[in-house]
Amino acid sequence: MKQLRERVDEMLDRLERAEAYLEAGRVHRVEGLPQTYVVEGTALYLVNTGDGECTCPDAEKGHACKHLLASILLERSEQKVPKPLRMAV
């Protein structure tokens, strides 16, 4: 079994790659399907953040893949965007 430090390092590497995917504009929401994204990796991967599923080989092995992490980061960033104020006239 891997040491805790090694597992944490692997997760941080995935998170860094997920952030790079997001910054490069490679994460796209699928209109009409809540919590569903397409992520451009070495192929196009379908991600469902509600189920925590991705169609990539890494996710099929049971890992929290970078595509899932990137999609979750996008969701979180969208939730933090303040809504514009509307003033009554």
Side-chain angles (χ1 to χ4, degrees):
M1 186 168 160
K2 293 182 182 178
Q3 296 294 326
L4 178 59
R5 173 61 190 233
E6 187 178 349
R7 292 194 328 251
V8 169
D9 285 342
E10 287 176 359
M11 182 56 73
L12 290 174
D13 288 342
R14 280 192 184 99
L15 184 56
E16 287 175 359
R17 288 179 288 182
E19 289 173 331
Y21 274 37
L22 188 59
E23 290 172 4
R26 298 169 72 178
V27 183
H28 310 280
R29 180 179 292 283
V30 176
E31 292 295 322
L33 295 175
Q35 298 178 310
T36 304
Y37 300 84
V38 172
V39 180
E40 300 172 52
T42 53
L44 295 178
Y45 298 111
L46 189 62
V47 177
N48 183 308
T49 58
D51 296 336
E53 295 178 353
C54 178
T55 57
C56 78
D58 201 30
E60 289 175 4
K61 295 176 189 172
H63 299 287
C65 67
K66 61 189 171 232
H67 313 106
L68 175 62
L69 294 172
S71 299
I72 291 170
L73 288 172
L74 179 59
E75 278 184 346
R76 292 182 89 184
S77 70
E78 290 174 346
Q79 291 171 357
K80 292 180 181 177
V81 173
K83 295 181 181 178
L85 295 175
R86 295 188 180 209
M87 298 183 71
V89 180

